Coordinates of all heavy atoms in Angstrom, one line a residue:
M1 N 0.8 -1.2 0.0 CA 0.0 0.0 0.0 C 0.9 1.2 0.0 O 1.9 1.3 0.7 CB -0.9 0.0 1.3 CG -1.9 -1.1 1.3 SD -3.2 -0.9 0.1 CE -4.4 0.2 0.9
T2 N 0.4 2.2 -0.7 CA 1.1 3.5 -0.7 C 0.5 4.4 0.3 O -0.5 4.0 0.9 CB 1.1 4.2 -2.1 OG1 -0.3 4.3 -2.5 CG2 1.8 3.3 -3.2
G3 N 1.1 5.6 0.4 CA 0.6 6.5 1.4 C -0.8 7.0 1.1 O -1.3 6.8 0.0
R4 N -1.4 7.6 2.1 CA -2.8 8.1 1.9 C -2.8 9.2 0.8 O -1.9 10.1 0.8 CB -3.2 8.7 3.2 CG -4.7 8.6 3.4 CD -5.1 9.2 4.7 NE -5.4 10.7 4.5 CZ -6.2 11.3 5.3 NH1 -6.7 10.8 6.4 NH2 -6.4 12.6 5.1
Q5 N -3.8 9.2 0.0 CA -3.9 10.2 -1.1 C -5.1 11.1 -0.8 O -6.1 10.6 -0.3 CB -4.0 9.6 -2.4 CG -2.7 8.9 -2.8 CD -2.7 8.6 -4.3 OE1 -3.7 8.3 -4.9 NE2 -1.5 8.6 -4.9
T6 N -4.9 12.4 -1.1 CA -6.0 13.3 -1.0 C -6.4 13.8 -2.4 O -5.5 14.2 -3.1 CB -5.6 14.5 -0.1 OG1 -5.1 14.0 1.1 CG2 -6.8 15.4 0.2
L7 N -7.7 13.8 -2.6 CA -8.1 14.3 -3.9 C -8.2 15.8 -3.8 O -8.9 16.3 -3.0 CB -9.5 13.7 -4.2 CG -10.1 14.0 -5.6 CD1 -9.2 13.4 -6.7 CD2 -11.5 13.4 -5.7
T8 N -7.4 16.5 -4.7 CA -7.4 17.9 -4.6 C -7.9 18.6 -5.8 O -8.2 19.8 -5.8 CB -6.0 18.4 -4.3 OG1 -5.1 18.0 -5.4 CG2 -5.4 17.9 -3.0
G9 N -8.2 17.9 -6.9 CA -8.6 18.5 -8.1 C -9.3 17.6 -9.0 O -9.1 16.4 -8.9
A10 N -10.1 18.1 -9.9 CA -10.7 17.3 -10.9 C -10.3 17.8 -12.3 O -10.4 18.9 -12.7 CB -12.2 17.5 -10.8
L11 N -9.7 16.9 -13.0 CA -9.3 17.2 -14.4 C -10.2 16.5 -15.4 O -10.4 15.3 -15.4 CB -7.8 16.6 -14.6 CG -7.2 16.8 -15.9 CD1 -7.0 18.3 -16.2 CD2 -5.8 16.1 -16.0
A12 N -10.9 17.4 -16.2 CA -11.8 16.9 -17.2 C -11.2 17.0 -18.6 O -10.7 18.1 -18.9 CB -13.1 17.7 -17.1
V13 N -11.1 16.0 -19.3 CA -10.5 16.0 -20.6 C -11.5 15.5 -21.6 O -12.1 14.4 -21.5 CB -9.2 15.1 -20.7 CG1 -8.7 15.2 -22.1 CG2 -8.2 15.6 -19.7
D14 N -11.8 16.3 -22.6 CA -12.7 15.9 -23.7 C -11.8 15.7 -24.9 O -11.0 16.6 -25.4 CB -13.6 17.1 -24.0 CG -14.5 16.9 -25.2 OD1 -14.3 15.9 -26.0 OD2 -15.4 17.7 -25.4
L15 N -11.7 14.5 -25.4 CA -10.8 14.1 -26.5 C -11.2 14.6 -27.8 O -10.5 14.5 -28.8 CB -10.6 12.6 -26.5 CG -10.0 12.0 -25.2 CD1 -9.9 10.5 -25.3 CD2 -8.6 12.6 -25.0
G16 N -12.4 15.2 -27.9 CA -12.8 15.8 -29.2 C -13.2 14.7 -30.2 O -13.3 13.5 -29.9
D17 N -13.5 15.2 -31.4 CA -13.9 14.3 -32.5 C -13.0 14.5 -33.6 O -12.7 15.7 -34.0 CB -15.3 14.6 -32.9 CG -16.4 13.9 -32.1 OD1 -16.1 12.8 -31.6 OD2 -17.4 14.5 -31.9
G18 N -12.5 13.5 -34.2 CA -11.6 13.7 -35.4 C -11.4 12.4 -36.1 O -11.9 11.3 -35.6
R19 N -10.7 12.4 -37.2 CA -10.4 11.2 -37.9 C -9.0 11.4 -38.5 O -8.5 12.5 -38.7 CB -11.4 10.9 -39.0 CG -11.5 12.0 -40.1 CD -12.6 11.7 -41.0 NE -12.9 12.9 -41.8 CZ -12.2 13.3 -42.9 NH1 -11.1 12.6 -43.3 NH2 -12.5 14.4 -43.5
E20 N -8.4 10.2 -38.6 CA -7.0 10.2 -39.1 C -7.0 10.5 -40.6 O -7.8 10.0 -41.4 CB -6.4 8.8 -38.9 CG -4.9 8.8 -39.1 CD -4.3 7.4 -38.8 OE1 -4.9 6.6 -38.1 OE2 -3.3 7.1 -39.4
I21 N -6.0 11.4 -41.0 CA -5.9 11.7 -42.4 C -5.1 10.6 -43.0 O -4.0 10.2 -42.6 CB -5.2 13.1 -42.5 CG1 -6.0 14.2 -41.9 CG2 -4.9 13.4 -44.0 CD1 -5.3 15.5 -41.8
R22 N -5.7 10.0 -44.1 CA -5.1 8.8 -44.7 C -4.1 9.1 -45.8 O -3.2 8.3 -46.1 CB -6.2 7.9 -45.3 CG -7.2 7.5 -44.2 CD -6.7 6.3 -43.5 NE -7.7 5.9 -42.5 CZ -7.5 5.0 -41.6 NH1 -6.3 4.4 -41.5 NH2 -8.4 4.6 -40.7
H23 N -4.3 10.3 -46.5 CA -3.5 10.5 -47.7 C -2.9 11.9 -47.6 O -3.4 12.8 -46.9 CB -4.4 10.4 -48.9 CG -5.1 9.1 -49.0 ND1 -4.5 7.9 -49.3 CD2 -6.4 8.8 -48.8 CE1 -5.4 6.9 -49.3 NE2 -6.6 7.4 -49.0
G24 N -2.0 12.2 -48.5 CA -1.4 13.5 -48.6 C -0.3 13.8 -47.6 O 0.1 12.9 -46.9
Q25 N 0.1 15.0 -47.6 CA 1.2 15.4 -46.7 C 1.0 15.3 -45.3 O 1.9 15.1 -44.5 CB 1.6 16.9 -47.0 CG 2.3 17.1 -48.4 CD 2.9 18.5 -48.5 OE1 2.4 19.4 -47.9 NE2 3.9 18.6 -49.3
R26 N -0.3 15.4 -44.9 CA -0.6 15.3 -43.5 C -1.1 13.9 -43.1 O -1.8 13.8 -42.0 CB -1.7 16.4 -43.1 CG -1.1 17.8 -43.3 CD -2.0 18.9 -42.7 NE -1.9 18.7 -41.2 CZ -3.0 18.7 -40.4 NH1 -4.2 18.8 -40.9 NH2 -2.8 18.6 -39.1
A27 N -0.8 12.9 -43.9 CA -1.2 11.6 -43.5 C -0.7 11.2 -42.2 O 0.4 11.5 -41.8 CB -0.7 10.6 -44.6
G28 N -1.6 10.6 -41.4 CA -1.2 10.2 -40.0 C -1.6 11.2 -39.0 O -1.6 10.8 -37.8
H29 N -1.8 12.4 -39.4 CA -2.3 13.4 -38.5 C -3.8 13.2 -38.2 O -4.5 12.5 -39.0 CB -2.0 14.8 -39.0 CG -0.6 15.2 -38.9 ND1 0.3 14.7 -39.8 CD2 0.1 16.0 -38.1 CE1 1.5 15.2 -39.5 NE2 1.4 16.0 -38.5
I30 N -4.3 13.9 -37.2 CA -5.7 13.8 -37.0 C -6.4 15.1 -37.4 O -5.9 16.2 -37.1 CB -6.0 13.7 -35.5 CG1 -5.3 12.5 -34.9 CG2 -7.5 13.6 -35.2 CD1 -5.8 11.1 -35.4
H31 N -7.4 15.0 -38.2 CA -8.2 16.2 -38.6 C -9.4 16.2 -37.6 O -10.2 15.4 -37.6 CB -8.8 16.0 -40.0 CG -9.7 17.1 -40.4 ND1 -9.3 18.4 -40.7 CD2 -11.1 17.1 -40.5 CE1 -10.3 19.2 -40.9 NE2 -11.4 18.4 -40.8
Y32 N -9.4 17.3 -36.8 CA -10.5 17.4 -35.8 C -11.6 18.2 -36.3 O -11.5 19.3 -36.8 CB -9.9 18.1 -34.5 CG -9.0 17.2 -33.7 CD1 -7.6 17.4 -33.8 CD2 -9.5 16.3 -32.9 CE1 -6.7 16.5 -33.1 CE2 -8.6 15.4 -32.2 CZ -7.3 15.6 -32.3 OH -6.4 14.8 -31.6
T33 N -12.8 17.6 -36.1 CA -14.0 18.4 -36.3 C -14.5 19.1 -35.0 O -15.2 20.0 -35.0 CB -15.2 17.5 -36.8 OG1 -15.3 16.4 -35.9 CG2 -14.8 17.0 -38.2
R34 N -14.0 18.6 -33.9 CA -14.2 19.2 -32.6 C -12.9 19.0 -31.8 O -12.4 17.9 -31.6 CB -15.3 18.5 -31.8 CG -15.7 19.2 -30.5 CD -17.1 18.7 -30.0 NE -17.1 17.2 -29.9 CZ -16.7 16.6 -28.8 NH1 -16.3 17.3 -27.7 NH2 -16.7 15.3 -28.7
Q35 N -12.3 20.1 -31.5 CA -10.9 20.1 -30.9 C -11.0 19.5 -29.5 O -11.9 19.6 -28.7 CB -10.4 21.5 -30.8 CG -10.0 22.1 -32.1 CD -8.7 21.5 -32.6 OE1 -7.8 21.2 -31.9 NE2 -8.7 21.3 -33.9
P36 N -9.9 18.8 -29.1 CA -9.8 18.3 -27.7 C -9.8 19.5 -26.8 O -9.3 20.6 -27.2 CB -8.4 17.6 -27.7 CG -8.1 17.3 -29.1 CD -8.8 18.4 -30.0
R37 N -10.2 19.3 -25.6 CA -10.4 20.4 -24.6 C -10.2 19.8 -23.2 O -10.5 18.7 -23.0 CB -11.9 20.8 -24.8 CG -12.3 22.1 -24.1 CD -13.7 22.4 -24.6 NE -14.2 23.6 -24.0 CZ -14.8 23.6 -22.8 NH1 -15.0 22.5 -22.1 NH2 -15.2 24.7 -22.2
A38 N -9.6 20.6 -22.4 CA -9.4 20.2 -21.0 C -9.6 21.3 -20.0 O -9.3 22.5 -20.4 CB -8.0 19.6 -20.8
V39 N -10.1 21.0 -18.9 CA -10.3 22.0 -17.8 C -10.0 21.3 -16.5 O -10.3 20.2 -16.3 CB -11.7 22.6 -17.8 CG1 -12.8 21.6 -17.6 CG2 -11.8 23.8 -16.9
Y40 N -9.3 22.1 -15.6 CA -9.0 21.6 -14.3 C -9.7 22.4 -13.2 O -9.6 23.6 -13.3 CB -7.5 21.6 -14.1 CG -7.0 21.2 -12.7 CD1 -6.8 19.8 -12.4 CD2 -6.7 22.1 -11.7 CE1 -6.4 19.4 -11.2 CE2 -6.3 21.7 -10.5 CZ -6.1 20.3 -10.2 OH -5.7 19.9 -9.0
T41 N -10.4 21.8 -12.3 CA -11.1 22.5 -11.2 C -10.4 22.0 -9.9 O -10.4 20.8 -9.6 CB -12.6 22.1 -11.2 OG1 -13.1 22.4 -12.5 CG2 -13.3 23.0 -10.2
C42 N -9.9 23.0 -9.2 CA -9.3 22.7 -7.9 C -10.4 22.5 -6.8 O -11.3 23.4 -6.7 CB -8.4 23.8 -7.5 SG -7.6 23.6 -5.9
L43 N -10.4 21.5 -6.1 CA -11.4 21.2 -5.1 C -11.1 21.9 -3.8 O -11.9 21.9 -2.9 CB -11.5 19.7 -4.8 CG -11.9 18.9 -6.1 CD1 -12.0 17.4 -5.7 CD2 -13.3 19.4 -6.6
L44 N -9.9 22.5 -3.7 CA -9.6 23.3 -2.5 C -10.0 24.7 -2.5 O -10.5 25.3 -1.6 CB -8.0 23.1 -2.2 CG -7.5 21.7 -2.0 CD1 -6.0 21.7 -1.9 CD2 -8.2 21.0 -0.8
C45 N -9.6 25.4 -3.6 CA -9.9 26.8 -3.8 C -11.0 27.1 -4.8 O -11.5 28.2 -4.9 CB -8.7 27.6 -4.2 SG -8.1 27.2 -5.8
H46 N -11.5 26.0 -5.5 CA -12.6 26.1 -6.4 C -12.3 27.0 -7.6 O -13.3 27.6 -8.2 CB -13.9 26.5 -5.7 CG -14.2 25.6 -4.6 ND1 -14.7 24.3 -4.8 CD2 -14.1 25.7 -3.2 CE1 -14.9 23.7 -3.6 NE2 -14.5 24.5 -2.7
Q47 N -11.1 27.2 -7.9 CA -10.7 28.0 -9.1 C -10.5 27.0 -10.2 O -10.2 25.8 -10.0 CB -9.5 28.8 -8.9 CG -9.7 30.0 -7.9 CD -8.4 30.8 -7.8 OE1 -7.4 30.4 -8.3 NE2 -8.6 31.9 -7.2
Q48 N -10.7 27.5 -11.5 CA -10.5 26.7 -12.6 C -9.2 27.1 -13.3 O -8.9 28.3 -13.4 CB -11.6 26.8 -13.6 CG -12.8 25.9 -13.3 CD -13.8 25.9 -14.4 OE1 -13.7 26.6 -15.4 NE2 -14.8 25.0 -14.3
E49 N -8.6 26.1 -13.9 CA -7.5 26.4 -14.9 C -8.0 26.0 -16.2 O -8.6 24.9 -16.4 CB -6.2 25.6 -14.5 CG -5.7 25.8 -13.1 CD -4.9 27.1 -13.0 OE1 -4.6 27.8 -14.1 OE2 -4.6 27.5 -11.9
G50 N -7.8 26.8 -17.2 CA -8.3 26.5 -18.5 C -9.7 27.1 -18.7 O -10.1 27.9 -17.9
P51 N -10.5 26.6 -19.6 CA -10.2 25.5 -20.5 C -9.2 25.8 -21.5 O -9.0 27.0 -21.9 CB -11.6 25.2 -21.1 CG -12.3 26.5 -21.1 CD -11.8 27.2 -19.8
V52 N -8.5 24.8 -22.0 CA -7.6 24.9 -23.1 C -8.1 24.0 -24.2 O -8.8 23.0 -23.9 CB -6.1 24.5 -22.7 CG1 -5.6 25.5 -21.7 CG2 -6.0 23.1 -22.3
T53 N -7.7 24.3 -25.4 CA -8.2 23.5 -26.6 C -7.0 23.2 -27.5 O -6.0 23.9 -27.5 CB -9.2 24.2 -27.4 OG1 -8.8 25.5 -27.8 CG2 -10.5 24.4 -26.6
G54 N -7.1 22.2 -28.3 CA -6.0 21.8 -29.2 C -5.3 20.6 -28.6 O -4.9 20.6 -27.4
A55 N -5.0 19.6 -29.5 CA -4.4 18.4 -29.0 C -3.1 18.6 -28.2 O -2.9 18.1 -27.1 CB -4.1 17.5 -30.2
E56 N -2.1 19.4 -28.8 CA -0.8 19.6 -28.1 C -1.0 20.4 -26.8 O -0.3 20.1 -25.8 CB 0.1 20.2 -29.1 CG 0.6 19.3 -30.1 CD 1.6 20.0 -31.1 OE1 2.2 21.0 -30.7 OE2 1.7 19.5 -32.3
T57 N -1.8 21.4 -26.9 CA -2.0 22.2 -25.7 C -2.7 21.4 -24.6 O -2.3 21.5 -23.4 CB -3.0 23.4 -26.1 OG1 -2.5 24.0 -27.2 CG2 -3.1 24.4 -24.9
V58 N -3.6 20.6 -24.9 CA -4.3 19.7 -23.9 C -3.3 18.8 -23.3 O -3.2 18.6 -22.1 CB -5.5 19.0 -24.5 CG1 -5.9 17.8 -23.6 CG2 -6.6 19.9 -24.8
Q59 N -2.4 18.2 -24.1 CA -1.4 17.3 -23.6 C -0.5 17.9 -22.6 O -0.2 17.4 -21.5 CB -0.6 16.7 -24.8 CG 0.5 15.7 -24.4 CD -0.1 14.4 -23.9 OE1 -0.9 13.8 -24.5 NE2 0.2 14.1 -22.6
R60 N 0.0 19.1 -23.0 CA 0.9 19.9 -22.0 C 0.1 20.3 -20.8 O 0.7 20.2 -19.7 CB 1.4 21.2 -22.7 CG 2.6 20.9 -23.7 CD 3.3 22.2 -24.0 NE 2.4 23.3 -24.5 CZ 2.1 23.4 -25.8 NH1 2.7 22.6 -26.7 NH2 1.3 24.3 -26.2
F61 N -1.1 20.6 -20.9 CA -2.0 21.0 -19.8 C -2.1 19.9 -18.8 O -2.0 20.0 -17.6 CB -3.3 21.5 -20.4 CG -4.3 22.0 -19.3 CD1 -4.2 23.3 -18.9 CD2 -5.3 21.2 -18.9 CE1 -5.1 23.8 -18.0 CE2 -6.2 21.7 -18.0 CZ -6.1 23.0 -17.5
V62 N -2.5 18.7 -19.4 CA -2.7 17.5 -18.5 C -1.4 17.2 -17.8 O -1.4 16.8 -16.6 CB -3.2 16.3 -19.4 CG1 -3.1 15.0 -18.6 CG2 -4.6 16.6 -19.9
D63 N -0.3 17.3 -18.5 CA 1.0 17.0 -17.8 C 1.4 17.9 -16.7 O 2.1 17.5 -15.8 CB 2.1 17.0 -18.9 CG 2.0 15.8 -19.8 OD1 1.3 14.8 -19.5 OD2 2.7 15.8 -20.9
S64 N 1.0 19.2 -16.8 CA 1.6 20.2 -16.0 C 0.6 20.9 -15.1 O 1.0 21.6 -14.2 CB 2.3 21.2 -16.8 OG 1.4 21.9 -17.7
V65 N -0.7 20.8 -15.3 CA -1.7 21.7 -14.6 C -1.6 21.5 -13.1 O -1.8 22.5 -12.4 CB -3.1 21.5 -15.2 CG1 -3.7 20.1 -14.8 CG2 -4.0 22.6 -14.6
R66 N -1.4 20.3 -12.6 CA -1.4 20.1 -11.1 C -0.3 20.9 -10.5 O -0.4 21.5 -9.5 CB -1.3 18.6 -10.8 CG -2.6 17.9 -11.1 CD -2.5 16.4 -10.9 NE -3.4 15.7 -11.7 CZ -4.7 15.5 -11.3 NH1 -5.1 15.9 -10.2 NH2 -5.5 14.8 -12.1
T67 N 0.9 20.8 -11.1 CA 2.1 21.5 -10.7 C 1.9 23.0 -10.8 O 2.1 23.8 -9.8 CB 3.3 21.2 -11.5 OG1 3.4 19.7 -11.5 CG2 4.6 21.7 -10.9
I68 N 1.3 23.5 -11.9 CA 1.1 24.9 -12.1 C 0.1 25.4 -11.1 O 0.3 26.5 -10.5 CB 0.6 25.1 -13.6 CG1 1.8 24.9 -14.6 CG2 0.1 26.5 -13.8 CD1 1.3 24.8 -16.0
H69 N -1.0 24.7 -11.0 CA -2.0 25.2 -10.0 C -1.5 25.2 -8.6 O -1.8 26.1 -7.8 CB -3.3 24.4 -10.2 CG -4.4 25.0 -9.2 ND1 -5.0 26.2 -9.5 CD2 -4.7 24.6 -8.0 CE1 -5.8 26.5 -8.5 NE2 -5.6 25.6 -7.6
A70 N -0.8 24.2 -8.2 CA -0.3 24.1 -6.8 C 0.5 25.3 -6.5 O 0.5 25.8 -5.3 CB 0.6 22.8 -6.7
A71 N 1.2 25.9 -7.5 CA 2.0 27.1 -7.2 C 1.2 28.3 -6.9 O 1.7 29.3 -6.3 CB 3.0 27.3 -8.4
R72 N -0.1 28.3 -7.4 CA -0.9 29.5 -7.2 C -2.2 29.3 -6.5 O -3.1 30.1 -6.5 CB -1.1 30.3 -8.5 CG -1.8 29.4 -9.6 CD -1.9 30.3 -10.9 NE -2.4 29.5 -12.0 CZ -2.0 29.7 -13.3 NH1 -1.1 30.6 -13.5 NH2 -2.4 28.9 -14.2
C73 N -2.3 28.1 -6.0 CA -3.6 27.7 -5.3 C -3.7 28.5 -4.0 O -2.8 28.4 -3.2 CB -3.6 26.2 -5.0 SG -5.1 25.7 -4.2
T74 N -4.7 29.2 -3.9 CA -4.9 30.1 -2.7 C -5.2 29.3 -1.4 O -4.7 29.6 -0.4 CB -6.0 31.1 -2.9 OG1 -7.2 30.4 -3.3 CG2 -5.6 32.1 -4.0
A75 N -5.9 28.2 -1.6 CA -6.3 27.3 -0.5 C -5.1 26.6 0.1 O -5.0 26.3 1.3 CB -7.4 26.4 -0.9
A76 N -4.1 26.3 -0.8 CA -3.0 25.5 -0.4 C -1.7 26.3 -0.1 O -0.6 25.9 -0.1 CB -2.6 24.4 -1.4
A77 N -1.9 27.6 0.0 CA -0.8 28.6 0.2 C 0.0 28.1 1.5 O -0.6 27.8 2.5 CB -1.3 30.0 0.4
P78 N 1.3 28.1 1.3 CA 2.1 27.7 2.5 C 1.9 28.7 3.7 O 1.7 29.9 3.5 CB 3.5 27.8 1.9 CG 3.5 28.6 0.7 CD 2.1 28.5 0.2
T79 N 2.0 28.1 4.8 CA 1.8 28.9 6.1 C 2.9 29.8 6.4 O 2.9 30.6 7.3 CB 1.5 28.0 7.3 OG1 2.5 27.0 7.3 CG2 0.1 27.3 7.1
T80 N 4.0 29.6 5.6 CA 5.2 30.5 5.8 C 5.0 31.9 5.3 O 5.7 32.8 5.5 CB 6.4 29.9 5.2 OG1 6.1 29.6 3.8 CG2 6.9 28.6 5.9
E81 N 3.9 32.0 4.5 CA 3.6 33.3 3.9 C 3.3 34.3 5.0 O 2.7 34.0 6.0 CB 2.3 33.2 3.0 CG 2.3 34.1 1.9 CD 1.2 33.8 0.9 OE1 1.3 32.8 0.1 OE2 0.1 34.4 0.9
R82 N 3.8 35.5 4.8 CA 3.6 36.5 5.9 C 2.2 36.9 6.0 O 1.4 37.1 5.1 CB 4.4 37.8 5.4 CG 5.7 38.0 6.0 CD 6.2 39.4 5.7 NE 6.1 40.3 6.7 CZ 7.0 40.6 7.7 NH1 8.1 39.9 7.7 NH2 6.8 41.5 8.6
Q83 N 1.8 36.9 7.3 CA 0.4 37.3 7.5 C 0.3 38.6 8.2 O 1.2 39.0 9.0 CB -0.3 36.2 8.5 CG -0.4 34.9 7.8 CD -1.1 33.9 8.6 OE1 -1.4 34.1 9.8 NE2 -1.3 32.7 8.1
A84 N -0.7 39.4 7.9 CA -0.9 40.7 8.5 C -1.1 40.5 10.1 O -1.9 39.6 10.5 CB -2.1 41.4 7.9
A85 N -0.5 41.3 10.8 CA -0.5 41.2 12.3 C -1.8 41.8 12.9 O -2.4 42.7 12.3 CB 0.7 41.9 12.9
Ligands
ZN1 ZN1 -6.5 25.5 -5.8

């Protein structure tokens, strides 16, 4: 068993609609009729990151959004932050 995990955010990914291009210079690429889309909702501060659209953008977003949000999450702000006296 690993350590206890806390659910801190919800990542929703819509893979979009598309089909593989079979011929021509872009063969093997996907032609999207509806672009992939992703949005992240933090369950601690209830802020959203995104939505972002586009296959590559969504991929980068999924890979990094938790780290990016953790850095600016107001609910998870470190207690070392100076507080008004
Ligand atoms: Zn947050």
Side-chain angles (χ1 to χ4, degrees):
M1 294 292 275
T2 56
R4 213 181 89 153
Q5 290 194 328
T6 306
L7 186 63
T8 57
L11 180 63
V13 180
D14 176 350
L15 296 177
D17 277 326
R19 60 187 167 79
E20 189 178 338
I21 298 170
R22 302 275 181 192
H23 306 286
Q25 285 191 335
R26 298 194 67 228
H29 288 76
I30 306 292
H31 173 75
Y32 286 101
T33 52
R34 187 167 55 90
Q35 287 288 320
R37 193 169 176 276
V39 63
Y40 178 82
T41 306
C42 179
L43 300 179
L44 300 176
C45 70
H46 304 286
Q47 289 183 350
Q48 275 192 353
E49 300 284 349
V52 297
T53 55
E56 287 178 25
T57 309
V58 165
Q59 181 66 58
R60 281 198 303 273
F61 184 79
V62 167
D63 287 345
S64 62
V65 68
R66 288 172 205 279
T67 309
I68 290 169
H69 183 77
R72 61 182 170 213
C73 181
T74 54
T79 51
T80 53
E81 209 170 286
R82 261 186 100 90
Q83 294 183 356

